[in-house]
Amino acid sequence: VRDLPAQALLAADASHPALQRAADQLAAARAVVVATPVYKAAYSGALKVFLDLLPQSALQGKAVLPLASGGSPHHMLALDYALRPVLQSLAARHILAGVYATDSQVTLTPEGAYHLQAELAQRLDDSVAALATEGLRLPPSAAFEPVHFSQVRCSA
């Protein structure tokens, strides 16, 4: 969502090619990971305007894993009280237990890599495993060696 054109999002221009591509990718997905920063007990505005543009059945038949990060643990319930109702209203088949991380649990190394505290890394690993088995209905043993979440490199 962060790469979508802000003007098209704010103007609710659902016909914009970039927004149509994003909606098409979402429609083709079997599972969705929704990740957002939390500020003042709410998920991001960019995510909100994107979700607002989707049809009421946009998540129908999909498993959804909500993830959020914030400056303190005081906003961890934003996943359950702000984001989950919206995901439910979009007809998600299965919304897994979300994972909330504080800034202190994720640090940036001098090399530019992210380091996760062990407890957070374990919760993320458990959630990804649940997404694979419960959401995607994959067998518990995969044909490839699992990658620990701490080795995944991403940007937000």
Side-chain angles (χ1 to χ4, degrees):
V1 172
R2 72 167 187 221
D3 294 331
L4 294 176
Q7 182 64 31
L9 283 170
L10 293 174
D13 182 4
S15 66
H16 189 282
L19 298 185
Q20 285 183 340
R21 269 192 310 278
D24 290 345
Q25 287 176 327
L26 183 65
R30 290 178 33 213
V32 178
V33 176
V34 177
T36 181
V38 172
Y39 182 70
K40 294 191 178 187
Y43 53 94
S44 78
L47 178 59
K48 183 195 182 327
V49 294
F50 178 69
L51 294 175
D52 286 348
L53 290 175
L54 297 174
Q56 198 68 37
S57 60
L59 297 177
Q60 187 169 13
K62 300 179 189 323
V64 180
L65 172 59
L67 306 175
S69 63
S72 76
H74 295 97
H75 300 294
M76 72 173 54
L77 292 178
L79 282 171
D80 291 323
Y81 292 110
L83 188 55
R84 183 175 292 272
V86 174
L87 300 174
Q88 287 173 330
S89 75
L90 293 171
R93 174 179 57 83
H94 182 43
I95 303 172
L96 289 107
V99 176
Y100 180 84
T102 62
D103 292 349
S104 65
Q105 293 175 302
V106 182
T107 55
L108 187 61
T109 67
E111 298 80 26
Y114 291 96
H115 173 72
L116 306 178
Q117 284 186 349
E119 183 268 335
L120 173 61
Q122 186 61 55
R123 287 190 295 131
L124 288 168
D125 284 343
D126 293 345
S127 294
V128 170
L131 180 63
T133 57
E134 296 173 29
L136 295 175
R137 298 186 178 140
L138 298 177
S141 61
F144 57 91
E145 186 65 30
V147 176
H148 191 272
F149 193 84
S150 66
Q151 296 174 337
V152 174
R153 300 292 175 243
C154 59
S155 64

